[in-house]
Amino acid sequence: MKNITNPTISDWAKICKRPVFPAEDLEDKVKNILELVQQKGDTALKELSLKFDKAVVEELKVSEAEIEASKKQVSEELKVAISVAAKNIRSFHEAQQLTETIVETMPGIQCWRKSVAIENVGLYIPGGSAPLFSTVLMLGIPALIAGCKQIVLCTPPDKDGNIKPAVLYTANFLGITQIFKVGGAQAIAALAYGTETVPKVDKIFGPGNQFVTKAKELVQKNGIAIDLPAGPSEVLVIADSTADADFVASDLLSQAEHGPDSQVVLLSDSSEFVEKVKLAVDEQLRVLPRADIAAKALENSFSVIFNSIGECVEFSNRYAPEHLILAIENAQEFADKIQNAGSVFIGNYSCESAGDYASGSNHTLPTNGYARSYSGVSLDSFVKKITFQNISRLGLQNIGRTVEVMAGAEQLLAHRNAVSIRLKKIQDEK
Amino acid sequence: MKNITNPTISDWAKICKRPVFPAEDLEDKVKNILELVQQKGDTALKELSLKFDKAVVEELKVSEAEIEASKKQVSEELKVAISVAAKNIRSFHEAQQLTETIVETMPGIQCWRKSVAIENVGLYIPGGSAPLFSTVLMLGIPALIAGCKQIVLCTPPDKDGNIKPAVLYTANFLGITQIFKVGGAQAIAALAYGTETVPKVDKIFGPGNQFVTKAKELVQKNGIAIDLPAGPSEVLVIADSTADADFVASDLLSQAEHGPDSQVVLLSDSSEFVEKVKLAVDEQLRVLPRADIAAKALENSFSVIFNSIGECVEFSNRYAPEHLILAIENAQEFADKIQNAGSVFIGNYSCESAGDYASGSNHTLPTNGYARSYSGVSLDSFVKKITFQNISRLGLQNIGRTVEVMAGAEQLLAHRNAVSIRLKKIQDEK
């Protein structure tokens, strides 16, 4: 974790650049997978699972019996935790259901918007060593609140063709029953194009490796919406000398353990404090099972010392972090100045992992600087807002001339005629 | 305009397919333009304007004097119309400013979202024969309500290097002053990467030809957000025998005149009514200046006769039209059943052109079936919603165990430690 002191503003852009890990031929490889699935459907999915996951999959769809069995494989303690987290996530996302009122823009002209659920959504839950059941909660709960008719979950099987029990348990706990044993780019292809077994969806959600991310990018060209462009996870902590170095170190490490491509950034107005944090990081790192991964992530990471917390906030707005922790005095005051961030954690006890799992906020967030223009996943991600308008005769009389003049000026005379023909008939009927 | 009667549901997908007009080498051509602008900046913009628009551009930025001159070139009648439309558009989009309350998901855990403007946005206004000043209103007004700091407008110059006065007037009327004479893919490149003169933005809005659309698609890979994937404009009208055939014909034509690739669709439960509309279309078409364009669009268009209006609505939901006009009895009742549409116009007097210009709703809408998963442009498009959380000691004590158990089950022990280390310190302090 290298240190930078008081960089000039002209260097900020360079410092904010995320590390890049280019993958060779990624796009071609993923295009091949997408084509294969379009051509051969389920057969391709099974072949690719064997090739990439070394998994023999007999039935793509998870059976009732497997779901039933998962209930016995998950500890009571974890069941309670899942239900507490689900309750908080539900409360927060239900509060995002806002009804806009009808706006009468002129007498006789009523305009309004209505949120309507996206009918078919696909949730991708990555596999790997850990069962990411928390992502099932983060994507499944808003999809259910929105009222999506069909929720399709894909997740890669292990070598024995099984799905992690915690993932199955959580899906079933929420009421999601269409679960398919397929991962990687082939899962995204299945959701985008549909196969004999996996239903085609309108929008695909969820994190994943480079293959998954590239596949999500590519299927957009076929009209499939995606939640967010993805990049490696990251945290930026702003801490002053009132913060607790152990806490800050633990937050940096909880981000660093995500993957070797993660980036963690510490900003402070105190070089002494930064030194304390680095000592604490070294100490805590030693006992972590994922120490190797975290140590690699720390190599891409850095701290910056500025003259004031105000400057730290300015730099953070430029960096646009996925997660931002404000471990400073008057944290709320500085929180009001945040322009670009995915999710902000205020004060010494708001650790990122609380938000990652259970406090209620969503953990699917914009990384890689996308927080400048993208929001994290929310209820909004599972609906579209349709505009409606109802114009009465009076309304058309009030607005008719305006439309005629504007359409005429844009030389769109059929547009003008659609108004004129109506105004004339209203006139004739008098 | 061909007619289909009572198609079986298995044929619906095929009927809903939009006509495709593939452009040769489009992606390669656009990639070259993007690279050229990245390498040569302003010089490339001027060279490309000369090449594609046959325009000699001395100064890329529109001068104060040009803006001043536009005020004299726009008629008083048009100025009034623009101000009426702007007022309505402002009312409707201001009503989209909703404040979410703080949610206390558990005692001591507060979560909320805050809308924050995207700092730098680019508005692309197409050129061509007509001055699309209405799009300046539709994109500029929500950008201003959101509070975007920098609003950059690009639009192609004519052969003499001038911008259409109505576009300049409208931009200045709203208070947008950063206006640049550049169009096509090169304008999108300028906004995405920045040049010596044109500022780089975070998100690009606006319609355009195939080059513009492809450029918007490609710059997304560089982290630039865009408003919507684009496709040819379209309208679907559902009409029963209570509708006015002349009105319906005028609505179909006002869509058809947009371009030869537009598609218009008429659904009805009455074959007699459809015949009447076709006669009216022929009659109205004859006197239109853009009759050639509209006639070509009608070749890609069709009507379908169903047994009931209920079936028409079902088909429309499958088609997911950009614009949907309900010229039927009990239109409001059927409006409640709409699942997929960009904007819905209810009743005989709600003509699409009212919404295109002045009623208040936005005219930048999802086409090509994207209405299944995308919303049209709104205030939401110009902000991101940042989540915040503030967890007190009590809050962490309430949620700590839940996070520890979940992080443990996901084998992310640094995540767990971030909570444990805090809980331990709270305990020690007692």
Side-chain angles (χ1 to χ4, degrees), chain B residues 14-34:
Chain B
K14 204 175 69 196
I15 301 169
C16 287
K17 275 235 167 87
R18 311 302 203 263
V20 179
F21 303 89
E24 217 169 312
D25 302 332
L26 181 65
E27 185 154 334
D28 286 341
K29 282 179 189 159
V30 172
K31 275 185 180 164
N32 285 340
I33 294 170
L34 299 184

Side-chain angles (χ1 to χ4, degrees), chain A residues 340 343 359 384 387 389 401, chain B residues 77 340 343 359 384 387 389:
Chain A
N340 298 313
S343 198
S359 63
K384 60 262 175 180
T387 51
Q389 59 202 284
R401 188 69 199 136
Chain B
E77 194 181 35
N340 297 315
S343 198
S359 62
K384 62 260 174 180
T387 50
Q389 60 200 286

Side-chain angles (χ1 to χ4, degrees), chain B residues 359-373:
Chain B
S359 62
S361 66
N362 209 291
H363 76 195
T364 309
L365 296 166
T367 61
N368 201 27
Y370 296 131
R372 276 186 280 272
S373 45

Side-chain angles (χ1 to χ4, degrees), chain A residues 360-373:
Chain A
S361 65
N362 209 291
H363 76 195
T364 309
L365 295 166
T367 60
N368 201 26
Y370 296 131
R372 276 186 281 272
S373 46

Side-chain angles (χ1 to χ4, degrees), chain A residues 27 77-78 81 84-85 88 92 95-96 98 100 103 105-106 111-114 116 118-119 130-134 137 202 217 221 223 225 244 246-247 250-251 253-254 257-258 284 288-290 332 335-336 339-346 348-351 353-359 361 370-375 378 380 384-391 393 396 399 401-403 405-407 409-415 417-419 421-422 425-426, chain B residues 27 77-78 81 84-85 88 92 95-96 98 100 103 105-106 111-114 116 118-119 129-134 137 202 217 221 223 225 244 246-247 250-251 253-254 257-258 284 288-290 332 335-336 339-346 348-351 353-359 361 370-375 378 380 384-391 393 396 399 401-403 405-407 409-415 417-419 421-422 425-426:
Chain A
E27 186 155 332
E77 192 181 34
L78 183 54
V84 169
N88 289 348
F92 185 57
Q96 293 164 9
L98 293 178
E100 289 170 27
V103 181
T105 55
M106 274 181 141
C111 299
W112 67 97
R113 293 202 300 173
K114 186 178 149 191
V116 179
I118 297 172
E119 286 183 84
L132 295 181
F133 57 88
S134 62
L137 295 173
D202 303 314
E217 179 195 311
K221 292 188 190 177
D244 184 305
D246 292 329
F247 294 1
S250 73
D251 291 332
L253 284 170
S254 71
E257 77 171 340
H258 266 299
Q284 292 178 26
L288 281 184
R290 290 167 73 96
Q332 181 57 58
D336 295 339
Q339 293 292 327
N340 298 313
S343 198
V344 183
F345 298 77
I346 298 171
N348 290 323
Y349 296 95
S350 302
C351 54
S353 51
D356 284 343
Y357 286 110
S359 63
S361 65
Y370 296 131
R372 276 186 281 272
S373 46
Y374 289 91
S375 312
S378 71
D380 303 341
K384 60 262 175 180
K385 296 191 178 174
I386 303 178
T387 51
F388 290 81
Q389 59 202 284
N390 198 335
I391 303 179
R393 282 173 182 228
L396 197 71
I399 206 174
R401 188 69 199 136
T402 296
V403 178
V405 169
M406 291 175 78
E410 287 196 355
Q411 295 163 36
L412 293 173
L413 300 195
H415 282 67
N417 193 45
V419 170
I421 209 167
R422 285 170 164 92
K425 219 163 258 194
I426 293 172
Chain B
E27 185 154 334
E77 194 181 35
L78 184 54
V84 170
N88 290 347
F92 185 57
Q96 294 163 10
L98 294 178
E100 289 169 28
V103 181
T105 55
M106 275 181 140
C111 299
W112 68 96
R113 293 202 301 173
K114 186 177 149 191
V116 179
I118 297 172
E119 286 183 84
S129 53
L132 295 182
F133 57 88
S134 61
L137 295 174
D202 303 314
E217 179 195 311
K221 293 188 190 177
D244 184 304
D246 293 329
F247 295 180
S250 74
D251 292 332
L253 284 169
S254 70
E257 77 170 343
H258 267 298
Q284 292 179 26
L288 281 185
R290 291 167 72 95
Q332 181 57 58
D336 295 339
Q339 293 292 327
N340 297 315
S343 198
V344 183
F345 299 77
I346 297 170
N348 290 323
Y349 295 96
S350 302
C351 54
S353 52
D356 284 345
Y357 286 109
S359 62
S361 66
Y370 296 131
R372 276 186 280 272
S373 45
Y374 289 91
S375 312
S378 71
D380 303 340
K384 62 260 174 180
K385 296 191 179 173
I386 303 177
T387 50
F388 290 80
Q389 60 200 286
N390 198 334
I391 303 180
R393 282 173 183 228
L396 197 71
I399 206 174
R401 189 65 199 138
T402 296
V403 177
V405 169
M406 291 176 77
E410 287 195 355
Q411 295 164 36
L412 293 172
L413 299 196
H415 281 68
N417 193 45
V419 171
I421 209 167
R422 285 170 164 92
K425 221 164 255 193
I426 294 172

Side-chain angles (χ1 to χ4, degrees), chain A residues 27 30-31 34 213-222:
Chain A
E27 186 155 332
V30 171
K31 275 185 181 165
L34 298 184
T213 300
K214 180 55 81 176
K216 283 171 69 185
E217 179 195 311
L218 292 173
V219 299
Q220 283 189 91
K221 292 188 190 177
N222 303 102

